Amino acid sequence: MSEKAVVVYSGGMDSFTVLHTAIQQGLDVYALSFNYGQKHSKELLVAAEVCNNLNIPHKVVDITAINSLMAGSSLTSDVDIPEGHYENESMKSTVVPNRNMVLLSMAIAYAVSLESGKVYYGAHSGDHHIYPDCRPEFVEAMNAVAKIANYQSVEIITPFLHASKGEILQAGLAMNLDYANTWTCYNGREKSCGKCGACNERLEAFAEQGKIDPLSYEA
């Protein structure tokens, strides 16, 4: 019987690649997504479709009840999504307070309930500048806690912690993944905006790999 693993799966490029990495490693994958009131909740529909096609268990947990405790982010509040690159100071408005600590805590609990010792999530080097909860020191600290918080030790695995978006895409293309089955844009409209930090980073990754993004863009 294959070893079980929980994958924190948003429906975006990074977690899509992590999901398939875990599958390629022969793990029995359980995907876990969260509705925290994000404007780009379209990613959850994409995630559900992917999991359905792969025939893997998928839970979508609604934590919008605690949205007021995680306020102030342009992703969840009545604030415009900034345009530009992740290196711009304005992108800090997309930080959701304590998001990954909250999500990982629930993923660890789910892993323990499944008698699984592994939780995968898609932190990567491109996020280090803006998102404190994607940095190596955060992952190391959470890993230390995950090993002692329950009777069962859980390891947090971040396959692309030190990789760029382009390197993540490269790994996915090597697995013949179709990135039409992902959603990245922080605006949850019919087409990607092409202007937010998430879109800019995605487009740069495809250009770096000499590929055309299969998603449609407004601009």
Side-chain angles (χ1 to χ4, degrees):
M1 184 176 292
S2 300
E3 184 179 7
K4 295 177 182 177
V6 172
V7 176
V8 179
Y9 181 41
S10 69
M13 277 181 66
D14 309 328
S15 62
F16 180 71
T17 312
V18 169
L19 181 79
H20 283 86
T21 298
I23 292 171
Q24 291 274 321
Q25 291 173 350
L27 297 168
D28 185 10
V29 168
Y30 290 73
L32 183 61
S33 304
F34 297 93
N35 179 359
Y36 54 90
Q38 63 268 47
K39 293 175 182 174
H40 56 301
S41 58
K42 181 175 179 177
E43 65 180 2
L44 299 176
L45 300 176
V46 174
E49 185 175 356
V50 167
C51 291
N52 183 59
N53 290 337
L54 291 172
N55 196 30
I56 62 175
H58 179 220
K59 287 185 180 294
V60 179
V61 182
D62 187 340
I63 59 170
T64 53
I66 65 170
N67 182 272
S68 63
L69 303 180
M70 303 165 71
S73 170
S74 57
L75 298 190
T76 57
S77 304
D78 189 20
V79 178
D80 289 340
I81 301 290
E83 296 179 356
H85 198 274
Y86 270 135
E87 293 182 1
N88 296 348
E89 189 70 15
S90 62
M91 290 301 150
K92 288 187 177 179
S93 79
T94 64
V95 174
V96 178
N98 218 33
R99 176 176 60 179
N100 282 347
M101 186 179 288
V102 172
L103 305 191
L104 283 171
S105 292
M106 287 186 277
I108 291 164
Y110 186 33
V112 171
S113 74
L114 292 171
E115 298 184 345
S116 163
K118 297 180 185 296
V119 168
Y120 282 67
Y121 96 109
H124 68 91
S125 67
D127 286 340
H128 295 177
H129 177 69
I130 292 296
Y131 302 116
D133 56 5
C134 288
R135 294 172 184 165
E137 52 266 42
F138 170 80
V139 175
E140 290 165 9
M142 281 299 292
N143 235 325
V145 170
K147 290 176 180 177
I148 62 171
N150 298 279
Y151 288 119
Q152 178 178 326
S153 175
V154 175
E155 179 184 10
I156 298 171
I157 301 170
T158 50
F160 302 109
L161 184 61
H162 300 286
S164 68
K165 195 83 160 188
E167 289 168 333
I168 294 173
L169 177 59
Q170 183 180 40
L173 293 173
M175 289 187 277
N176 295 315
L177 302 187
D178 182 0
Y179 285 91
N181 299 315
T182 62
W183 183 261
T184 298
C185 183
Y186 282 153
N187 290 292
R189 299 191 286 261
E190 182 179 351
K191 295 182 179 181
S192 299
C193 73
K195 296 179 179 179
C196 68
C199 281
N200 274 310
E201 189 185 39
R202 177 180 175 124
L203 288 167
E204 286 175 0
F206 274 93
E208 181 184 316
Q209 297 303 317
K211 301 292 184 181
I212 301 297
D213 190 344
L215 295 187
S216 296
Y217 285 81
E218 296 173 350

